[in-house]
């Protein structure tokens, strides 16, 4: 084993890194864990990602690449369960993990856990294994609640006090926290009293080999995009359609209702369509609410809910679109914007997550102070009035996000791990 090689136990108890993206509980965090584990493996580190069995068909071990594995452990029934219910199965998850480690004679240098539920499991393991524990929260309960309260979103679905108190406790007990943005670092300090020295800021990444600009016409043909015959806004020349793309979990926090409400301001644009990617069975209720909203505004024919798309298919959607919109109330980071820009498609987004540092105002899109429909419409119209993105401009847009390659991100994470390990191993005098 090379001396610089790290053996990392990554915990993702509730969400499977190879699960169906775009469903209620599987999104950016799963992409992050899967891509980071693969890249760390590529760089010669050994990574085991532990998650619970979500389906009886799950194999216990999946090779993510030659050095990175995904390991399924039983924790409750072998099925999808409510995120919060995973809390009650964490003792089983931890003890199965410990048994797996013993049976396979495994040793780890550190634990890297994702989301508060996994971090809680990680706190037990850090004590048993005597190794440092790094947490990435991905979202913070206190911040979600503050936003839901401020914007009156879905009353009754707020994050439980259990989560808030656990997160507050975890920031004290762990050895280090990775925040994807300066904003999250500030929130960790403000809401939970985390110590600033304990937090490093490392952004999320994008797979630049996968997310590439493709020819718009070919991408549209590949996807079979055509106007519905009686479309109110459109003509029948599919290549002249103006396509607005939304990609993400269908969750009120994503602000998709605001984007739908923006469409009536854009009535004058010929061939305008909003294509929505994401969903799954647990999102039907929210999709129905949004469909009804589109009907109320008499724009239902301009809105298409396409359901889930495979991550590998998304470069076609981003390339086919004229603009991608991220109208969220809250993002921990905002991977969709990064993916869209990597495909050369401009983005209109609210000022959430890391979007201000990803999007170049007026050049690769617009970041707005909020998701007010008229403001979204204004900037979407501005982008749509420009000549369609050609290869050269797509290349220029893509170049602005090249520093977010997973290899750069993995190197930054390893530097953090090595520092944390060095501090952990140095006895306090
Ligand atoms: N995604 C996908 N298929 C879908 C919907 C979403 O692959 O049908 C992916 C999307 O490409 C992105 C992730 O899910 O990589 C969502 O990440 P983001 O950070 O934008 O949002 P989060 O889920 O973390 O709120």
């Amino acid at each position: 084993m090379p001396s610089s090689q790290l053996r990392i136990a990554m915990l993702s108890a509730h969400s499977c890194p190879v699960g169906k993206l775009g469903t209620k509980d599987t999104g950016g965090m799963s992409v992050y864990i899967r891509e980071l584990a693969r890249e760390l493996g590529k760089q010669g580190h050994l990574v085991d990602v532990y998650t619970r069995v979500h389906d009886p068909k799950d194999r216990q071990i999946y090779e993510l690449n030659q050095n990175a594995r995904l390991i399924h452990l039983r924790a409750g029934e072998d099925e999808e369960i409510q995120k919060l219910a995973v809390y009650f199965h964490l003792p089983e998850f931890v003890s199965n993990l410990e048994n797996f480690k013993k049976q396979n004679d495994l040793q780890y240098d550190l634990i890297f856990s994702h989301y508060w539920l996994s971090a809680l499991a990680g706190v037990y393991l850090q004590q048993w294994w005597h190794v440092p524990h790094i947490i990435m929260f991905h979202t913070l309960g206190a911040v979600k609640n503050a936003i839901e309260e401020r914007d009156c979103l879905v009353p009754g679905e707020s994050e439980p006090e259990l989560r808030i108190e656990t997160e507050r406790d975890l920031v004290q007990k762990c050895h280090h926290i990775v925040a994807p943005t300066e904003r999250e670092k500030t929130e960790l300090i403000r809401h939970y009293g985390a110590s600033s020295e304990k937090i490093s800021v490392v952004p999320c990444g994008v797979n630049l080999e996968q997310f590439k600009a493709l020819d718009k016409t070919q991408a549209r043909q590949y996807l079979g995009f055509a106007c519905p015959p009686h479309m109110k806004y459109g003509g029948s020349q599919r290549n002249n359609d103006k396509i607005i793309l939304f990609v993400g979990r269908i969750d009120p926090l994503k602000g998709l209702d605001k984007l739908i409400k923006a469409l009536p301001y854009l009535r004058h644009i010929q061939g305008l369509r909003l294509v929505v990617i994401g969903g799954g069975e647990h999102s039907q209720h929210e999709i129905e609410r949004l469909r009804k909203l589109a009907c109320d505004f008499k724009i239902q024919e301009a809105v298409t809910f396409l359901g889930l798309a495979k991550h590998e298919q998304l470069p076609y959607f981003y390339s086919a679109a004229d603009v991608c919109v991220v109208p969220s109330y809250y993002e921990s980071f905002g991977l969709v914007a990064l993916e869209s820009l990597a495909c050369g498609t401009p983005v209109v987004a609210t000022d959430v997550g890391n979007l201000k540092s990803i999007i170049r105002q007026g050049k690769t899109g617009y970041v707005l102070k909020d998701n007010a429909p008229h403001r979204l419409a204004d900037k979407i119209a501005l982008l749509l009035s420009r000549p369609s993105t050609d290869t050269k401009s797509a290349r220029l847009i893509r170049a602005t996000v090249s520093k977010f390659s997973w290899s750069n991100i993995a190197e930054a994470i390893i530097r953090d791990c090595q520092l944390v390990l060095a501090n952990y191993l140095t006895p306090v005098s």
Side-chain angles (χ1 to χ4, degrees):
M1 176 177 101
S3 62
S4 56
Q5 181 185 65
L6 293 182
R7 297 161 301 179
I8 302 171
M10 261 200 216
L11 310 186
S12 176
H14 85 281
S15 170
C16 181
V18 295
K20 264 192 192 154
L21 293 170
T23 53
K24 195 163 180 284
D25 293 330
T26 311
M29 186 178 93
S30 298
V31 173
Y32 181 92
I33 295 170
R34 190 189 67 199
E35 295 287 331
L36 182 67
R38 282 196 178 130
E39 184 58 40
L40 290 172
K42 230 197 247 175
Q43 294 184 11
H45 304 284
L46 300 178
V47 184
D48 283 336
V49 183
Y50 291 96
T51 191
R52 59 179 286 279
V53 177
H54 293 79
D55 188 309
K57 292 199 284 293
D58 284 337
R59 263 182 291 141
Q60 185 174 36
I61 302 178
Y62 281 83
E63 300 286 331
L64 293 170
N65 66 17
Q66 72 273 28
N67 290 331
R69 309 185 292 178
L70 173 67
I71 297 158
H72 286 101
L73 300 172
R74 287 209 70 192
E77 292 303 311
D78 297 352
E79 60 188 17
E80 286 295 349
I81 55 175
Q82 285 266 336
K83 221 168 12 180
L84 196 56
V86 174
Y87 176 85
F88 301 101
H89 300 294
L90 287 177
E92 187 188 354
F93 181 75
V94 169
S95 93
N96 284 340
L97 203 162
E98 179 62 9
N99 287 340
F100 182 88
K101 176 177 170 280
K102 272 202 188 120
Q103 281 158 11
N104 293 281
D105 199 18
L106 299 168
Q107 295 299 326
Y108 296 109
D109 299 304
L110 50 84
I111 302 164
F112 189 7
S113 56
H114 298 268
Y115 199 65
W116 69 280
L117 291 164
S118 304
L120 195 52
V123 162
Y124 288 102
L125 296 170
Q126 76 183 55
Q127 289 159 5
W128 293 351
W129 299 353
H130 302 289
V131 295
H133 176 202
I134 300 178
I135 301 178
M136 189 157 177
F137 285 98
H138 295 271
T139 56
L140 300 175
V143 177
K144 279 182 94 170
N145 280 356
I147 290 166
E148 282 173 354
E149 205 170 297
R150 186 195 69 198
D151 294 302
C152 303
L153 297 174
V154 254
E157 280 207 8
S158 56
E159 294 299 319
E161 207 45 39
L162 170 70
R163 173 174 180 184
I164 315 285
E165 284 311 314
T166 306
E167 288 183 339
R168 185 169 289 122
D169 191 43
L170 287 166
V171 301
Q172 304 304 328
K173 290 191 172 144
C174 71
H175 299 92
H176 189 75
I177 301 168
V178 173
T181 60
E182 285 294 339
R183 191 193 301 253
E184 187 164 304
K185 177 172 175 173
T186 308
E187 283 158 348
L188 280 160
I189 297 168
R190 178 150 54 102
H191 289 283
Y192 296 144
S195 132
S196 154
E197 295 84 69
K198 229 187 206 186
I199 310 170
S200 59
V201 176
V202 182
C204 298
V206 61
N207 185 332
L208 292 167
E209 277 92 61
Q210 181 187 342
F211 288 94
K212 281 185 178 148
L214 307 168
D215 178 79
K216 196 182 288 300
T217 309
Q218 282 175 10
R220 288 184 180 197
Q221 274 162 1
Y222 171 82
L223 294 170
F225 273 1
C227 287
H230 48 278
M231 218 178 81
K232 211 169 195 151
Y233 293 145
S236 56
Q237 300 151 291
R238 69 179 72 158
N239 286 329
N240 293 331
D241 284 356
K242 297 291 183 191
I243 296 180
I244 303 171
L245 180 68
F246 171 92
V247 177
R249 292 174 301 104
I250 308 295
D251 180 308
L253 272 176
K254 293 282 177 183
L256 188 49
D257 55 343
K258 299 290 183 159
L259 179 53
I260 290 173
K261 287 180 184 169
L263 294 191
Y265 293 97
L266 300 166
R267 273 181 208 281
H268 58 284
I269 299 177
Q270 278 286 304
L272 187 79
R273 303 179 60 189
L274 167 61
V275 172
V276 177
I277 304 286
E281 52 181 314
H282 298 293
S283 315
Q284 282 317 311
H285 181 70
E286 181 62 4
I287 291 179
E288 280 319 308
R289 185 179 80 90
L290 294 166
R291 273 194 214 280
K292 182 166 180 316
L293 188 69
C295 285
D296 292 346
F297 283 93
K298 300 191 172 34
I299 50 162
Q300 67 276 18
E301 283 150 12
V303 184
T304 314
F305 288 90
L306 285 183
L308 299 176
K310 292 214 165 89
H311 209 221
E312 306 76 67
Q313 271 189 312
L314 283 173
Y316 290 96
F317 285 99
Y318 290 122
S319 301
D322 294 290
V323 55
C324 175
V325 183
V326 183
S328 307
Y329 292 91
Y330 178 45
E331 289 287 339
S332 168
F333 185 81
L335 278 184
V336 161
L338 205 47
E339 293 169 354
S340 178
L341 296 174
C343 293
T345 300
V347 179
V348 172
T350 32
D351 180 12
V352 291
N354 205 28
L355 300 182
K356 221 172 191 165
S357 57
I358 295 174
I359 298 165
R360 307 234 170 125
Q361 197 74 346
K363 295 198 170 74
T364 66
Y366 291 95
V367 180
L368 310 173
K369 68 173 181 162
D370 62 25
N371 56 14
H374 68 282
R375 259 190 278 279
L376 289 170
D378 213 31
K379 297 304 182 207
I380 292 170
L382 206 58
L383 288 174
L384 293 182
S385 68
R386 293 182 186 171
S388 210
T389 322
D390 57 15
T391 321
K392 187 168 167 236
S393 53
R395 228 185 294 129
L396 289 175
I397 293 178
R398 176 182 163 81
T400 63
V401 295
S402 58
K403 66 175 177 191
F404 294 100
S405 68
W406 279 112
S407 60
N408 283 350
I409 306 308
E411 280 167 19
I413 292 287
I414 285 299
R415 278 195 295 277
D416 270 358
C417 290
Q418 274 156 348
L419 272 176
V420 172
L421 211 48
N423 287 339
Y424 186 84
L425 297 174
T426 311
V428 185
S429 54

